[in-house]
Amino acid sequence: MNVQPKTVDAGSRKRKLLPLMGNEAIARAAWEAGVKVASAYPGTPSTEILESLAKYPAADIDAEWAVNEKVSVDIAIGAALEGVRAMASMKHVGLNVAADSIMSQSYIGAHGGLVVIVCDDPGIHSSQNEQDTRLFSRFANIPVLEPSDAQEAYEMTKLAFDISEEFDTPVIVRSTTRLSHTRSVVAVGERVTPKPKGFVDSSTKTVTIPANARRLHPKVIEREAKLAAYLETSPLTRWEKGDPKFGIVTGSISYLYVKEVVPNASILKLGASHPLPGETIRAFAKSVDRLLVVEELEPVLEKEIKAMGIACEGKAFFPRLGELSPELVRAGLAKAGLIEAAPPARAIDIEPMARPPVLCPGCPHTSTYVALRGLETRVAGDIGCYTLAAVEPLKSMDTAVCMGASIANAVGMWKAGTEKKPIVATIGDSTFLHSGIPPLIDAVYNKANITIVILDNGITAMTGGQDHPGTGKTLRGAPTFKVDYETMCRAAGVEWVRKIDPYEVGRLYQTLREAIVHKGVAVVIASRPCVLDPVKIKGTPLTIAKDGCIACQSCMNLGCPSLTWADEMHEGRHKIKIDETSCIGCTLCAQVCPTDCIQPVTP
Amino acid sequence: MSSPVKSKGARPKTKAGSDTAAEPAGEPVKPARAGGNILIVGVGGQGVLMIAKVVALLAQKQGYQVKQSEVHGMAKRGGIVFSHVRYGPEVWSPTIVKGEADALIALEWAEGLRWLDHLKHEGVFIADTRRIVPPFACRSRKAGAPINYAKETPADIVSRVADGFALDASTIAEGFGDARAANTVLLGVLSASLAYPEADWLEVIEASVPPKSRDINRNAFAAGREWALAARANPTLRFDSSITSYEAPAGLLQPKITLEINAAWCKGCDICVKLCPERCLALNAEQVAVLKSPDACTGCHICEWLCPDFAISIRTSHPEPVTA
Ligand SMILES: Cc1ncc(C[n+]2csc(CCOP(=O)(O)OP(=O)(O)O)c2C)c(N)n1
Ligand code: SF4
Ligand code: SF4
């Protein structure tokens, strides 16, 4: 096979060295590899990949936000079929949204080169689950490359395009939160512009009617075998000879933890965790007395190696949940009796204080949930900053399944026919565009009696403030058409639509009450920009007039982080004070204060 | 891991009041090992990542391999932020092993305490005494409930670690015109514990801050460094002794609350139910307000005041002092 990674040693001296985050290294590699079209929907920890790509010249690369992950993959597929290199990037759960496209595209191939970057989130730092993308690559019969650091992320992303073209397959490059967000120095290279191949022009291949699909499926299996053979000799598979007492099969960032703990061990580092180079693994197993598998999350390698009839141990010593660490690798190897356990950690006897994330001071989502709690509604929630309303003091969201689930969840709750409370779905603007429109159409079509609140803060806030079709701006900041939610809802058949400013608490209550009694689908569009993005909003802060506060705690029910307890008490309750540096002056607290003691700071 | 990096040139001079910045004779700052693990912690928006960037650039300048790793998914929403910076001739894991941090820098007091178990026995602990009390800490509505914030004082902690510094960096920075430069004050303190040339520090700091705040940051760095050198010479200066306790005021009164609803006067308007901050009222089947959760009632009088029909009366008395 002529697919060889261009290793760092080859003239690394002359190569430019840049301190890059894993995600930036991936973007750099994509640009250098001559990617023509890159599309993504934001999602932590993958977001910075497209954000960094947008910094490369527009003439080189078309980088855009797609409305969701499936759309991003379909766009990349279209470009690849036209014969140019294309890429989509997403967080692990985004792959579920894009799954249908990838499963079929596996049969069709890659033509111009198609790479999907997927960032997993072991430890669930900011996601709704910790699914392992390596399992998906097996499901889809496509290879998955697993870099361990930013340099490898750069090398492997470039190589992924070569493999994609050579084997005519989509390729997944799998990162994790830790790799995506670790910065280290990367030796980079120059951009090459591959010659466009032209349209694939082979409808027996690109149209997956049953007759074609039946012919394509065996080719997928053959391709997998060829890839496995390639990985036997590819530098992606690296055998580090060491002490033969035990050997470790590992890859991804787990490799770094292993090197940290046992730098001189025998290691078989798998740069691709699917398909597996069976012969190399067998030979490696023979060379050591005991074979261990160190992998984050699921026992994917372990089960497959065992299925090859090779004895190995893994999850007996290392956790299946959460992020790995040098500590856990050491503890596992010690449990296996192979190395000394770490000395007991220093006991510090300090109970850590809880500091859960909270909505920002002045967040436009706050009042909607205060009102929904007051109105005693059953709230089907969704994913975004507003999911933080599921906990005290807002505690008014009953469900949050995955992006776009809220509206159809509410339809189902209504159909169950047993709910006594009014049923409300709350969905962010970006989430609505991502996957809220088909369920909206469904709700009207199936005559559901629900209220839908579109929380229109004019940005994709949770992931750090990305544009979307409702902001009127593209990834590169160019003006474009701005979706109008009201028109869209009316086109779907919603007759009752109201647009309100969630900073007007009284009107908000009133509108929600009306929406709830309306028979059929009622939509409330709560519009007010996020206070962080696209511009940081800071108005005149408020302050609490001396002696006016009766410590009733009404304002504390907003959960605004600018409000805290003062040292003074009133009848055994803490009076409140406002942190003027962080208060943005939204006046929500003043509106709920029964004594009118919250007033703007006078200069 | 040997060859200590020596400080080039003369002893660093601080800009602000360089005459007072005397290094303790004989025992200068610790020689830097060939490599280090620096853990920087705080909450969203405090500039944790700026410190990490400066330390990473500085280490890179000394020719080390550097890995800087952070998790910042929830950072913007007031959550915990932390960044690991590891440097040395060869660095594998991007994360610092518990108990292996050479320095722990905390931009917020309780965050420093949270990560204390990551510090080496002989490691340096540098913390801003600034408290950012989360809404979560003000949640108990029981009469006299204390703020649920770390109780440990700077004096406690500095006496418990081998090499601790706790200062009000935010106020120092505010003196130069911007409390947000507290992170640079802490870098100044750190610089007194690592033997890298002051000029290198200043260069990387300048490269990491916006041009218009360069002066503020230069002053903040100098002030932190000067403070640390003085504190090294005189251990009583190592912590802010004005902060004695974070305990809630003692001797609070446990009120006795009686809430009476005159059912005959109540017309079921729902106002009290909707506006009770503790949500302890409800309308019963007869559409009359009732106290459904008496334990939650704090006796705040809101329902009494807002009832248009004067149907609610509340009496509060304070017989027994709360024992602290
Ligand atoms: C399938 C999928 N893609 C991406 C994400 C990451 N993600 C979480 S919330 C969110 C966007 C939320 O934006 P919006 O609905 O506008 O709410 P906001 O955060 O602005 O309040 C994204 C992209 C995800 N959880 N699932
Ligand atoms: S980032 Fe915006 S949407 Fe998110 S909590 Fe803050 S103000 Fe609210
Ligand atoms: S006005 Fe009140 S609710 Fe709004 S940010 Fe300031 S303290 Fe918070």
Side-chain angles (χ1 to χ4, degrees):
Chain A
M1 283 299 148
N2 55 7
V3 186
Q4 293 293 332
K6 292 98 199 155
T7 51
V8 199
D9 320 336
S12 74
R13 235 160 254 198
K14 271 179 250 124
R15 287 166 63 173
K16 210 154 85 182
L17 299 173
L18 296 175
L20 298 178
M21 237 177 21
N23 282 347
E24 293 166 343
I26 290 169
R28 171 81 195 194
W31 174 72
E32 284 185 20
V35 169
K36 187 75 211 309
V37 175
S39 185
Y41 180 73
T44 313
S46 70
T47 313
E48 298 86 357
I49 297 173
L50 258 269
E51 287 177 334
S52 342
L53 260 182
K55 292 183 185 134
Y56 294 96
D60 289 352
I61 187 163
D62 195 305
E64 57 143 60
W65 288 131
V67 74
N68 67 31
E69 292 86 350
K70 175 170 164 52
V71 171
S72 77
V73 169
D74 289 338
I75 288 169
I77 288 173
L81 295 183
E82 280 290 349
V84 300
R85 287 188 160 184
M87 182 177 99
S89 62
M90 63 202 63
K91 70 183 286 168
H92 59 332
V93 288
L95 189 56
N96 304 336
V97 178
D100 206 11
S101 303
I102 297 175
M103 291 303 292
S104 297
Q105 190 60 27
S106 171
Y107 282 29
I108 295 173
H111 190 52
L114 177 62
V115 173
V116 180
I117 314 281
V118 185
C119 302
D120 284 5
D121 188 19
I124 323 189
H125 294 288
S126 53
S127 303
Q128 66 263 34
N129 73 16
E130 56 180 344
Q131 66 189 47
D132 189 329
T133 292
R134 297 176 305 156
L135 290 169
F136 186 89
S137 68
R138 285 149 175 84
F139 188 32
N141 300 103
I142 56 181
V144 56
L145 307 191
E146 289 197 82
S148 68
D149 62 12
Q151 182 70 48
E152 281 191 358
Y154 163 85
E155 308 281 343
M156 287 191 190
T157 303
K158 281 182 100 169
L159 179 62
F161 283 97
D162 298 341
I163 293 176
S164 175
E165 282 192 68
E166 177 73 27
F167 292 90
D168 197 15
T169 178
V171 177
I172 293 179
V173 176
R174 174 185 183 253
S175 176
T176 58
T177 302
R178 194 58 70 180
L179 165 59
S180 281
H181 290 169
T182 293
R183 190 179 295 279
S184 53
V185 170
V186 178
V188 298
E190 298 301 325
R191 176 179 154 88
V192 290
T193 326
K195 266 233 310 271
K197 291 179 173 169
F199 189 69
V200 53
D201 238 352
S202 159
S203 63
T204 51
K205 197 168 163 235
T206 52
V207 179
T208 52
I209 51 171
N212 290 340
R214 259 179 249 121
R215 254 195 318 273
L216 292 170
H217 196 180
K219 295 203 169 138
V220 170
I221 309 295
E222 259 170 54
R223 180 180 74 199
E224 213 167 30
K226 280 189 196 148
L227 274 158
Y230 155 70
L231 287 165
E232 300 281 4
T233 55
S234 161
L236 279 170
T237 309
R238 192 166 74 225
W239 184 333
E240 296 180 11
K241 299 230 155 67
D243 185 350
K245 258 201 6 233
F246 64 95
I248 297 175
V249 180
T250 188
S252 74
I253 201 149
S254 309
Y255 166 76
L256 299 184
Y257 301 142
V258 168
K259 287 298 276 188
E260 182 75 31
V261 176
V262 281
N264 302 317
S266 295
I267 296 172
L268 183 62
K269 179 184 183 295
L270 301 178
S273 64
H274 182 75
L276 292 185
E279 291 318 309
T280 309
I281 294 173
R282 209 173 290 281
F284 179 72
K286 278 214 186 92
S287 76
V288 293
D289 299 344
R290 242 175 114 180
L291 187 66
L292 282 102
V293 180
V294 178
E295 56 190 325
E296 216 165 40
L297 298 180
E298 294 297 310
V300 178
L301 302 176
E302 180 183 353
K303 278 191 177 164
E304 252 171 76
I305 292 170
K306 280 180 175 158
M308 290 172 191
I310 302 169
C312 66
E313 301 159 284
K315 293 298 166 189
F317 306 122
F318 307 99
R320 184 174 170 178
L321 314 173
E323 215 182 341
L324 267 187
S325 63
E327 290 95 318
L328 289 168
V329 169
R330 171 171 293 281
L333 291 174
K335 194 170 163 200
L338 296 169
I339 62 169
E340 297 250 323
R346 133 208 210 122
I348 54 151
D349 189 32
I350 292 175
E351 209 187 309
M353 185 187 72
R355 194 189 292 280
V358 287
L359 292 175
C360 300
C363 173
H365 298 326
T366 308
S367 54
T368 300
Y369 289 97
V370 171
L372 289 175
R373 186 168 184 180
L375 295 169
E376 292 178 62
T377 48
R378 175 70 66 220
V379 177
D382 222 300
I383 313 277
C385 282
Y386 49 94
T387 314
L388 296 172
V391 294
E392 289 285 11
L394 294 172
K395 203 166 174 12
S396 47
M397 185 181 291
D398 297 295
T399 64
V401 180
C402 65
M403 277 190 81
S406 58
I407 298 177
N409 288 160
V411 173
M413 290 172 183
W414 173 75
K415 284 189 185 265
T418 47
E419 183 55 59
K420 299 266 174 345
K421 295 179 172 180
I423 298 167
V424 180
T426 60
I427 185 164
D429 50 352
S430 187
T431 305
F432 179 69
L433 296 170
H434 175 278
S435 43
I437 296 166
L440 171 76
I441 296 169
D442 186 279
V444 177
Y445 176 61
N446 286 309
K447 301 178 188 299
N449 183 16
I450 59 167
T451 297
I452 297 168
V453 183
I454 300 176
L455 301 155
D456 171 23
N457 61 351
I459 205 85
T460 316
M462 182 82 233
T463 42
Q466 290 75 30
D467 281 294
H468 60 62
T471 68
K473 270 214 204 113
T474 67
L475 168 60
R476 287 188 189 267
T480 182
F481 180 76
K482 187 173 169 177
V483 168
D484 180 65
Y485 302 107
E486 185 170 344
T487 313
M488 188 173 257
C489 292
R490 294 210 188 270
V494 184
E495 283 164 6
W496 198 102
V497 187
R498 298 280 184 283
K499 196 167 164 176
I500 48 138
D501 177 356
Y503 276 4
E504 291 178 31
V505 180
R507 245 194 88 201
L508 172 69
Y509 257 99
Q510 192 53 38
T511 310
L512 286 172
R513 269 181 205 265
E514 282 174 36
I516 284 166
V517 295
H518 174 81
K519 289 271 170 287
V521 177
V523 175
V524 177
I525 304 165
S527 286
R528 179 49 87 159
C530 165
V531 306
L532 282 188
D533 292 298
V535 281
K536 210 164 156 44
I537 294 170
K538 177 86 174 96
T540 309
L542 305 195
T543 186
I544 301 196
K546 241 193 160 102
D547 303 332
C549 177
I550 55 154
C552 71
Q553 314 292 321
S554 292
C555 60
M556 291 304 278
N557 284 348
L558 296 169
C560 171
S562 298
L563 297 164
T564 48
W565 282 346
D567 289 336
E568 302 88 55
M569 313 282 272
H570 178 82
E571 295 184 344
R573 301 182 301 271
H574 289 264
K575 289 194 183 189
I576 313 302
K577 64 178 179 196
I578 293 179
D579 173 36
E580 286 170 22
T581 50
S582 61
C583 167
I584 70 132
C586 73
T587 77
L588 290 181
C589 54
Q591 291 182 56
V592 301
C593 173
T595 73
D596 228 12
C597 67
I598 308 183
Q599 297 289 343
V601 168
T602 40
Chain B
M1 296 209 171
S2 55
S3 80
V5 176
K6 283 183 203 81
S7 175
K8 283 182 219 134
R11 184 184 64 74
K13 276 213 172 68
T14 51
K15 192 172 173 237
S18 49
D19 48 338
T20 57
E23 251 176 47
E27 200 251 330
V29 294
K30 272 188 203 163
R33 298 180 304 121
N37 295 326
I38 316 279
L39 181 59
I40 306 114
V41 305
V43 303
Q46 281 196 299
V48 165
L49 304 189
M50 180 270 190
I51 297 196
K53 191 173 165 198
V54 167
V55 175
L57 283 173
L58 183 82
Q60 218 171 293
K61 227 175 145 51
Q62 320 299 322
Y64 292 125
Q65 207 187 84
V66 184
K67 280 188 178 156
Q68 176 200 337
S69 164
E70 55 245 350
V71 167
H72 45 62
M74 293 292 188
K76 274 195 179 174
R77 256 78 27 193
I80 298 163
V81 188
F82 54 95
S83 183
H84 298 239
V85 181
R86 302 196 64 209
Y87 56 95
E90 186 163 56
V91 175
W92 293 109
S93 166
T95 55
I96 300 169
V97 171
K98 225 183 220 183
E100 289 293 323
D102 296 290
L104 169 60
I105 304 168
L107 279 88
E108 199 274 347
W109 183 245
E111 290 311 309
L113 305 187
R114 181 190 312 282
W115 296 95
L116 210 48
D117 60 353
H118 275 65
L119 191 62
K120 254 190 196 142
H121 280 280
E122 66 280 17
V124 194
F125 173 75
I126 299 170
D128 191 339
T129 52
R130 165 144 198 242
R131 301 195 296 170
I132 297 180
V133 178
F136 196 81
C138 306
R139 265 260 301 285
S140 169
R141 301 279 167 93
K142 287 221 179 68
I147 292 180
N148 194 5
Y149 188 89
K151 303 283 180 288
E152 290 76 10
T153 64
D156 283 346
I157 297 303
V158 169
S159 70
R160 279 164 71 172
V161 299
D163 195 10
F165 299 90
L167 71 163
D168 188 350
S170 297
T171 303
I172 295 175
E174 218 168 73
F176 295 114
D178 191 351
R180 284 174 305 176
N183 51 6
T184 311
V185 174
L186 298 186
L187 279 170
V189 178
L190 177 68
S191 77
S193 293
L194 297 175
Y196 299 125
E198 187 180 11
D200 285 7
W201 282 97
L202 286 170
E203 197 184 315
V204 293
I205 289 171
E206 288 195 2
S208 312
V209 301
K212 65 176 190 309
S213 66
R214 276 197 190 140
D215 284 346
I216 293 178
N217 281 286
R218 204 178 302 116
N219 290 334
F221 177 82
R225 188 175 171 92
E226 188 182 322
W227 181 89
L229 293 173
R232 268 203 192 289
N234 177 359
T236 62
L237 300 178
R238 278 175 172 253
F239 56 88
D240 188 341
S241 52
S242 65
I243 302 168
T244 48
S245 170
Y246 285 141
E247 300 282 353
L252 292 169
L253 300 180
Q254 185 75 59
K256 206 165 151 286
I257 300 153
T258 345
L259 185 146
E260 276 165 14
I261 299 174
N262 185 332
W265 292 1
C266 172
K267 63 171 186 273
C269 72
D270 213 26
I271 289 177
C272 58
V273 176
K274 288 288 178 281
L275 290 169
C276 167
E278 306 312 321
R279 303 176 178 99
C280 52
L281 296 158
L283 291 186
N284 66 12
E286 285 79 48
Q287 296 296 297
V288 168
V290 290
L291 182 59
K292 77 171 176 206
S293 21
D295 289 349
C297 175
T298 62
C300 74
H301 296 282
I302 300 251
C303 54
E304 184 181 37
W305 295 337
L306 296 181
C307 175
D309 295 286
F310 306 102
I312 305 180
S313 65
I314 290 182
R315 266 170 295 127
T316 351
S317 52
H318 298 266
E320 344 134 17
V322 171
T323 46

